[in-house]
Amino acid sequence: MTENVVILGAGAVGMTVATYLKRHTGHRVTVFSSDTHTAYSQCGIPFVLEGVIHDFPDLIVRPLDTFLDMGIDLHLETTVNHIDATGQKVISDEGIFEYDHLVIATGSVPFIPTIKGGELDGVFTLHTLSDGMKINCYINDGSRVVIIGAGGIGTELAGSLAVRGIAVTLVEALPQALPLTMDPDMALLVQQHLTLLGVQVVTGAHVDSINGKRHVRSVSVQGDTVPTGTVLSDIVIVATGLRALSGIARDAGYKIGATGGIVTDEHLRVSADGEILDNVYAGGECAEVKEFVTGSPFISRLGSAARRMALVIGENIAGQDAVYPPTLSPNVVVVGEMTAGSVGITSHTAALNDISVVCGISEGRTRAGYYPGGSQLNVKLIFSNRRLVGAQVVAGEGVKERIDALSLAIRMGATVDDLLEWETAYAPPVSMIIDPVTFAADDAKMKMEGLA
Ligand SMILES: Cc1cc2nc3c(=O)[nH]c(=O)nc-3n(C[C@H](O)[C@H](O)[C@H](O)COP(=O)(O)OP(=O)(O)OC[C@H]3O[C@@H](n4cnc5c(N)ncnc54)[C@H](O)[C@@H]3O)c2cc1C
């Protein structure tokens, strides 16, 4: 039976659901997006700013015509302002549209703290392709840039701009970079690499004010352990986190969770008045799911997670019984020549959840010691009750592969003994004969048994 599917958001989730449904069902699919562009890689934006990718249009993975040819009714620069949940309609800038199935894929917006001078010319956030283009127009090789916030986006961007030769100061309020995904000792390796690239990394400090008449001229930084000072700056990029765009769902009566995301069940269906709704779904950065290790409410801010959620939603609308299991959200950040990856929980998250952990660490190389090239490889494994619950890897190569393998290990409930029995492949140009992950497991086991 042909039904009406309305999708709010033409980002990673929205367009994946739309194309899935057009390939596998006969449904009419209407997609709305406030954005000017669709089907582009947000993840590639830092690398255009770095100069590795030639230009922003290169990030558009599918031209608009592809969607129109598929019969998707796509409305860009069109905001949906209201969901009439009872009448099964959405009200957009362009009128009223009825739905049989509704997908909320509205993503998130940058969270911008109130900072004096935040309205000056030269203050940006980096979230959309247009944001990237605006920054690129403003920036030149002599620019001085202050990035506020050393999460994944701020850290990656700092590396990209530094590689381009731009003077970057990275200011983070917490004592370490990548506070949500890395332990302080592993984050320090990234900070040191940023410093080598020429980035001034200031942690444990906040930006008091952005100064200038019309344009940014400087930034005042204040911290407990760093001297208060003024950093000359032409551009400020605020990368202080994201907030789920869930207001439209809240107004429609759908349940919003502690994270600010739209609460979903394992099929990614939303609920209202304590009832799961069979025909309304949420996915991506606006949706609250469950974190694998703690079972806590969680928003996964990853394109990889968004795509998996989209397929689950598409399959369910197509009549299947697809489940999005609790997420481990393996992630990597690329900073110049260094990659930092993590999966599962950090020691800090463990402490917040009263989970007692034992950590194993190791430092090796990515290639045989005598083989040219390669880099240092640092591994940290986090165990609870002998089971692996978190892993962090920092190196110049071979990070993603290890994080992916360790992601599976956590999901399968691997213990420290399993990791010690883990057989790994070897050839001098790509590995040491014993993988540094094994040494980290060994270190943890010694600590568990009181031998270290
Ligand atoms: C600079 C940067 C680098 C990144 N790098 C990586 C990476 O390396 N790896 C990784 O896995 N992830 C990365 N991500 C994250 C990844 O891009 C996102 O997690 C993913 O795109 C989220 O998909 P989404 O569909 O939930 O939201 P989005 O793709 O943001 O789409 C949401 C859409 O909804 C629209 N919308 C919102 N409200 C309305 C409304 N009321 N009416 C109509 N439309 C609306 C918005 O305009 C937007 O187009 C990066 C993100 C950024 C910004």
Side-chain angles (χ1 to χ4, degrees):
M1 197 172 77
T2 300
E3 294 179 307
N4 282 337
V5 181
V6 167
I7 302 174
L8 310 188
V13 172
M15 292 321 290
T16 307
V17 176
T19 47
Y20 180 92
L21 290 175
K22 274 297 173 190
R23 286 199 183 112
H24 295 92
T25 72
H27 295 335
R28 280 181 293 272
V29 178
T30 309
V31 187
F32 297 95
S33 181
S34 319
D35 204 344
T36 41
H37 297 83
T38 184
Y40 63 84
S41 166
Q42 278 179 328
C43 314
I45 298 172
F47 305 102
V48 182
L49 293 171
E50 180 175 328
V52 184
I53 312 291
H54 175 63
D55 203 356
F56 288 96
D58 296 342
L59 299 182
I60 296 175
V61 287
R62 280 194 199 173
L64 267 185
D65 287 352
T66 319
F67 302 116
L68 304 178
D69 291 348
M70 289 179 95
I72 296 169
D73 183 19
L74 176 59
H75 302 247
L76 293 182
E77 296 183 74
T78 310
T79 299
V80 171
N81 302 305
H82 181 67
I83 301 167
D84 172 357
T86 318
Q88 300 209 159
K89 295 174 207 152
V90 301
I91 294 116
S92 83
D93 300 344
E94 292 180 352
I96 297 175
F97 294 77
E98 292 184 354
Y99 64 82
D100 299 301
H101 303 270
L102 176 65
V103 179
I104 308 173
T106 44
S108 57
V109 277
F111 166 70
I112 307 172
T114 312
I115 302 173
K116 188 166 165 259
E119 72 295 341
L120 290 172
D121 280 358
V123 180
F124 298 95
T125 54
L126 179 59
H127 193 57
T128 63
L129 200 70
S130 311
D131 293 338
M133 289 170 169
K134 280 186 213 151
I135 293 173
N136 211 31
C137 286
Y138 213 90
I139 223 160
N140 58 55
D141 290 350
S143 299
R144 293 158 302 186
V145 178
V146 171
I147 299 174
I148 310 177
I153 291 176
T155 300
E156 198 163 76
L157 185 61
S160 289
L161 295 179
V163 169
R164 181 167 155 185
I166 289 171
V168 182
T169 304
L170 179 63
V171 184
E172 166 58 49
L174 291 170
Q176 65 163 99
L178 301 171
L180 296 179
T181 51
M182 306 292 278
D183 281 10
D185 51 341
M186 298 298 278
L188 189 60
L189 300 167
V190 180
Q191 291 166 219
Q192 286 165 345
H193 188 67
L194 281 169
T195 308
L196 268 181
L197 292 174
V199 177
Q200 190 190 358
V201 183
V202 188
T203 55
H206 61 270
V207 168
D208 239 5
S209 63
I210 302 169
N211 316 308
K213 282 214 169 89
R214 217 177 124 222
H215 299 272
V216 175
R217 291 282 170 255
S218 69
V219 160
S220 299
V221 179
Q222 196 170 49
D224 297 335
T225 51
V226 294
T228 301
T230 301
V231 182
L232 293 177
S233 170
D234 315 297
I235 297 173
V236 174
I237 300 172
V238 183
T240 42
L242 298 165
R243 292 289 176 270
L245 258 180
S246 54
I248 192 168
R250 182 194 305 269
D251 294 346
Y254 304 146
K255 188 172 177 192
I256 307 299
T259 58
I262 306 161
V263 174
T264 59
D265 73 348
E266 68 274 24
H267 301 284
L268 298 177
R269 296 173 301 190
V270 313
S271 58
D273 300 326
E275 300 275 324
I276 303 281
L277 304 179
D278 272 334
N279 65 337
V280 184
Y281 297 83
E285 292 192 350
C286 66
E288 181 177 291
V289 293
K290 290 230 176 333
E291 194 280 326
F292 180 84
V293 176
T294 59
S296 305
F298 185 78
I299 295 181
S300 188
R301 296 202 160 93
L302 293 172
S304 45
R307 201 182 146 76
R308 290 180 73 88
M309 288 188 217
L311 289 178
V312 168
I313 294 172
E315 286 169 13
N316 284 329
I317 294 176
Q320 297 178 42
D321 185 24
V323 164
Y324 185 77
T327 180
L328 276 162
S329 289
N331 61 87
V332 284
V333 172
V334 177
V335 178
E337 300 285 302
M338 178 179 267
T339 305
S342 78
V343 58
I345 60 170
T346 60
S347 299
H348 180 66
T349 305
L352 284 179
N353 286 276
D354 288 327
I355 298 172
S356 101
V357 294
V358 175
C359 297
I361 54 171
S362 74
E363 183 182 317
R365 302 275 312 162
T366 58
R367 304 181 188 184
Y370 57 81
Y371 200 88
S375 76
Q376 186 177 305
L377 172 71
N378 290 77
V379 179
K380 183 165 192 173
L381 301 178
I382 302 172
F383 294 90
S384 168
N385 290 326
R386 300 182 80 84
R387 282 196 191 283
L388 186 68
V389 293
Q392 297 162 32
V393 181
V394 177
E397 57 189 11
V399 172
K400 177 199 145 44
E401 298 83 335
R402 287 179 175 84
I403 288 296
D404 288 348
L406 293 166
S407 174
L408 184 64
I410 298 175
R411 193 168 287 282
M412 303 306 285
T415 63
V416 66
D417 303 295
D418 294 326
L419 283 181
L420 286 169
E421 285 174 7
W422 186 38
E423 292 180 282
T424 53
Y426 162 67
V430 290
S431 61
M432 290 169 66
I433 195 157
I434 296 183
D435 198 281
V437 171
T438 307
F439 294 127
D442 203 31
D443 182 50
K445 185 163 180 176
M446 301 270 280
K447 288 173 182 158
M448 287 170 199
E449 295 175 359
L451 300 172

